[in-house]
Amino acid sequence: MTAPTTAWLAEQYHSGRMNLPTAHHHLLSETEHSSLATIFTTLTSNLPRLEKTTLITHIQSHLPRSLPPTFAETIYQILTYHTSAPFYKNPSPIPPSSLSLLDTQRGLAWLLPQNHLSMSETGNMGRMRTPADGRRLLFQSLATLSVPSPDSPSKEDARRGYARRNAFDAQHARKYLGIGEEEMEEMLRDWCKCNRDEDGDEMWHDLLDVLHACVPENYPYASRRESLRPLAKEIGGGVVFHEIAVEKRVLRGLVRGVLRLQFEVGEEEMDAGELETMDEQVESALATFICEDEELASAYPSSLDIIAWPAFDHALRHLPHLFDPVHRVLIKALLDSEPYNMHTSVKSLYGAPPELLRPKDTGTKPYVLSRSWMNLMPMIIPDVVDWESLHTVLRWNSSQDSNSDTTTSPTSDAIWTHVRARDLEQTEETPLAIILALEGHDQASGEPFKGGIVVGADYDGKAGRERLYNLYVFRLLPSVRFLELIDQRWEHRSGKELAFGDSATTSGFRFLVDDMAVDIDIPAFGRHQRIKVNSLEIWNDNGSS
């Protein structure tokens, strides 16, 4: 049997047999469809469309009173943009004035994490979508500017090279498929394809993905994705991906809102001055939105007031859970569900550490991870910390503490004991997470620094419950950085030194207790730094108070 012709594929599309409007239906469960239909009917009083003002008011009712209506409007903009996938429109600051039930279903189906991965046929005849496609959809949903830029072959080469790196970033599939290195290489070669070429850019390839996934079951023979290129070119839109951008003003409002939504706490427990302003934390997060490759940055719009795709993508690699509060609010407001039970990549909302909710003692030095700084933490680290049980087990500040008779810095042994938590009996059901946080300044530049490590404890049943450690290095100031040190050791090298990672592979994080300094040599953090420590604290979540 011969493969379907382009004419046959076009006829299937134009006759409606590809049924693109409902291609998303299977991405929501029957329970989700039922819940959404019930809420939609309630909000519309059985009318066919849901008005923008009604939905924004409904979203606002699921937000803290301290958040301005503009944040709910941004959530609405993000949702409504996804309702147009994969037929994207030109950027506009004015979202549609109403949504149908089908629109809302499609928006949630595309927006909820990981769902977009199923909007293509994965295999040697299709294209494997990667997490970068999801990050790109979020970027597109916030982009309200179209900024034409000068073009050249070298700039297009830079854009295609970056698209290719993202399109072949399929490590996420390995743990789900349970495959080895050789199988992974074969999968990358056969399943991954660059989604930017002579025929179209990344947004155009979304359309091609969905067309291929929707080829009717009555096709004469297996259809290859490439067979649908003529049809995709016929019906594709005119939006140019590398010319759209996000206003930094909009992004600043979004970041401030999601920072406020990291922990579930009552309004009476909030420090209004600390949590409503959070200027330093917001600006530190915004400083993460930067493209460090000058050649690549020049291939996209550039201005102090806008964020282009490479900068946005860079930030979301270091802030992987930035949009979790947006997803969480929509799941609660439109699906009437808790996120953890339905979409495990969206973390459940914890209460803030009780230690930070107690009335402030004016005689105590501020925490390194104060409430406002700790709000950044759930954005960057995996779900390995039980925040409600988190408490400090060691605190030190270089200046005289009014509650202490000494300014002597802690010894390496003291820090090591607390980080290892040797005296704690843990069970398999309650693994221990430890955070070592510190603040100080770069000795070369004087630049302030705030960061540390997260040690996630786990157990290996085959090795007699021998404790294993996963290491996560983070930085919160002057910008946010996050790195998981996979398969790397940490050890107490001497009486004065703790070493995290492997300095032989330039992923070192060396703590020198002798002069309370930290040597950081991690590529993801930029240049080598020596940080003079002013304060440090160690937290763990073993449930003690």
Side-chain angles (χ1 to χ4, degrees):
M1 299 179 67
T2 59
T5 64
T6 55
W8 183 88
L9 291 166
E11 192 276 330
Q12 300 299 301
Y13 171 78
H14 289 296
S15 65
R17 285 194 280 274
M18 282 191 178
N19 207 16
L20 264 66
T22 59
H24 62 275
H25 193 275
H26 69 288
L27 298 179
L28 297 179
S29 69
E30 289 306 312
T31 300
E32 290 173 317
H33 278 295
S34 177
S35 298
L36 177 59
T38 300
I39 291 172
F40 189 90
T41 300
T42 301
L43 293 175
T44 61
S45 301
N46 290 311
L47 294 175
R49 297 190 69 82
L50 177 58
E51 294 298 318
K52 170 185 174 181
T53 52
T54 302
L55 182 50
I56 289 177
T57 300
H58 181 62
I59 293 171
Q60 185 71 36
S61 70
H62 289 78
L63 298 173
R65 292 189 300 273
S66 60
L67 279 177
T70 52
F71 184 71
E73 292 169 7
T74 299
I75 294 180
Y76 179 81
Q77 174 187 327
I78 293 170
L79 172 66
T80 55
Y81 180 86
H82 285 78
T83 67
S84 66
F87 297 100
Y88 305 119
K89 301 174 183 177
N90 284 311
S92 171
I94 304 175
S97 59
S98 64
L99 295 175
S100 67
L101 177 59
L102 185 64
D103 291 335
T104 314
Q105 289 172 341
R106 185 187 301 112
L108 287 172
W110 276 87
L111 173 58
L112 295 179
Q114 311 300 328
N115 280 0
H116 74 93
L117 296 172
S118 301
M119 289 307 301
S120 66
E121 289 293 321
T122 299
N124 59 358
M125 294 185 181
R127 180 180 83 91
M128 174 181 282
R129 295 176 66 87
T130 70
D133 290 298
R135 298 193 296 268
R136 175 172 52 79
L137 284 165
L138 292 169
F139 167 74
Q140 292 168 201
S141 71
L142 289 170
T144 56
L145 300 175
S146 181
V147 186
S149 59
D151 218 340
S152 69
S154 63
K155 290 184 178 181
E156 180 56 23
D157 285 345
R159 293 190 284 261
R160 289 188 190 179
Y162 191 64
R164 180 178 178 81
R165 291 197 295 275
N166 274 336
F168 279 74
D169 180 18
Q171 291 292 334
H172 68 286
R174 184 178 174 186
K175 65 177 180 179
Y176 296 113
L177 298 176
I179 59 178
E181 289 287 353
E182 292 185 4
E183 294 171 294
M184 183 71 179
E185 288 300 319
E186 183 178 354
M187 183 190 74
L188 288 171
R189 184 171 60 251
D190 293 341
W191 294 9
C192 296
K193 298 175 179 66
C194 182
N195 58 337
R196 188 183 185 98
D197 50 38
E198 290 81 0
D199 283 342
D201 61 23
E202 295 89 332
M203 298 170 75
W204 180 82
H205 277 265
D206 278 353
L207 174 59
L208 190 56
D209 287 341
V210 178
L211 284 173
H212 186 236
C214 292
V215 173
E217 294 181 359
N218 65 335
Y219 56 76
Y221 189 63
S223 172
R224 289 189 174 276
R225 184 171 175 272
E226 280 63 33
S227 304
L228 288 147
R229 284 178 177 265
L231 177 59
K233 292 173 74 173
E234 175 189 338
I235 63 178
V239 187
V240 180
F241 177 62
H242 65 265
E243 293 185 348
I244 64 176
V246 178
E247 290 184 79
K248 187 171 285 189
R249 172 187 59 84
V250 173
L251 195 59
R252 180 174 282 106
L254 172 71
V255 170
R256 189 178 299 280
V258 294
L259 275 171
R260 171 64 180 81
L261 291 173
Q262 290 305 308
F263 295 109
E264 186 175 31
V265 292
E267 288 288 332
E268 70 280 0
E269 296 172 324
M270 306 298 292
D271 182 326
E274 181 182 29
L275 288 179
E276 288 184 18
T277 55
M278 296 186 296
D279 291 334
E280 193 174 18
Q281 293 77 24
V282 171
E283 293 308 313
S284 186
L286 286 176
T288 313
F289 289 81
I290 183 172
C291 180
E292 297 174 334
D293 183 328
E294 293 184 6
E295 182 178 357
L296 179 63
S298 69
Y300 290 84
S302 176
S303 167
L304 294 176
D305 299 323
I306 65 176
I307 302 293
W309 164 237
F312 189 92
D313 191 39
H314 174 272
L316 258 63
R317 291 174 184 273
H318 292 283
L319 296 162
H321 300 286
L322 174 67
F323 283 84
D324 275 14
V326 173
H327 297 136
R328 193 183 297 123
V329 168
L330 286 172
I331 290 171
K332 186 65 177 176
L334 295 177
L335 301 178
D336 192 27
S337 176
E338 292 300 323
Y340 183 80
N341 297 327
M342 308 188 77
H343 296 273
T344 55
S345 57
V346 178
K347 297 184 289 186
S348 294
L349 195 62
Y350 285 110
E355 190 163 345
L356 294 181
L357 296 180
R358 296 170 184 158
K360 290 186 175 180
D361 182 349
T362 56
T364 302
K365 295 297 179 184
Y367 287 93
V368 174
L369 291 182
S370 62
R371 274 285 302 282
S372 50
W373 283 110
M374 194 168 280
N375 282 350
L376 276 169
M377 295 292 289
M379 292 185 183
I380 62 177
I381 65 172
D383 195 9
V384 297
V385 178
D386 179 1
W387 299 102
E388 290 176 318
S389 298
L390 199 66
H391 69 285
T392 51
V393 293
L394 179 68
R395 294 192 69 202
W396 174 80
N397 190 289
S398 60
S399 60
Q400 179 69 43
D401 192 321
S402 61
N403 293 334
S404 174
D405 295 329
T406 179
T407 59
T408 303
S409 62
T411 66
S412 175
D413 285 334
I415 297 175
W416 178 248
T417 300
H418 283 300
V419 172
R420 290 199 67 180
R422 296 170 178 167
D423 56 333
L424 299 178
E425 289 294 330
Q426 295 297 309
T427 67
E428 191 166 356
E429 290 73 27
T430 56
L432 179 70
I434 302 167
I435 301 175
L436 187 157
L438 58 96
E439 64 183 1
H441 60 274
D442 187 309
Q443 288 187 330
S445 66
E447 187 176 53
F449 178 93
K450 191 185 292 279
I453 63 152
V454 178
V455 182
D458 205 346
Y459 297 88
D460 185 349
K462 295 181 180 179
R465 294 170 61 84
E466 179 181 347
R467 193 173 291 174
L468 306 176
Y469 293 93
N470 297 319
L471 300 178
Y472 306 92
V473 183
F474 67 90
R475 186 180 79 192
L476 304 179
L477 187 73
S479 63
V480 180
R481 293 289 188 274
F482 160 75
L483 182 68
E484 181 178 4
L485 300 182
I486 302 174
D487 297 329
Q488 297 195 42
R489 301 177 60 188
W490 65 297
E491 59 185 332
H492 186 191
R493 288 183 176 172
S494 69
K496 300 177 180 179
E497 180 182 354
L498 307 181
F500 302 86
D502 183 357
S503 58
T505 59
T506 64
S507 293
F509 189 93
R510 195 164 60 106
F511 201 106
L512 304 173
V513 178
D514 195 23
D515 58 356
M516 293 307 293
V518 175
D519 277 338
I520 301 174
D521 192 11
I522 298 174
F525 284 22
R527 68 189 188 281
H528 171 85
Q529 289 182 286
R530 170 164 281 207
I531 305 301
K532 181 67 175 179
V533 178
N534 298 330
S535 303
L536 70 83
E537 59 202 23
I538 298 175
W539 300 71
N540 72 31
D541 64 354
N542 71 335
S544 302
S545 59

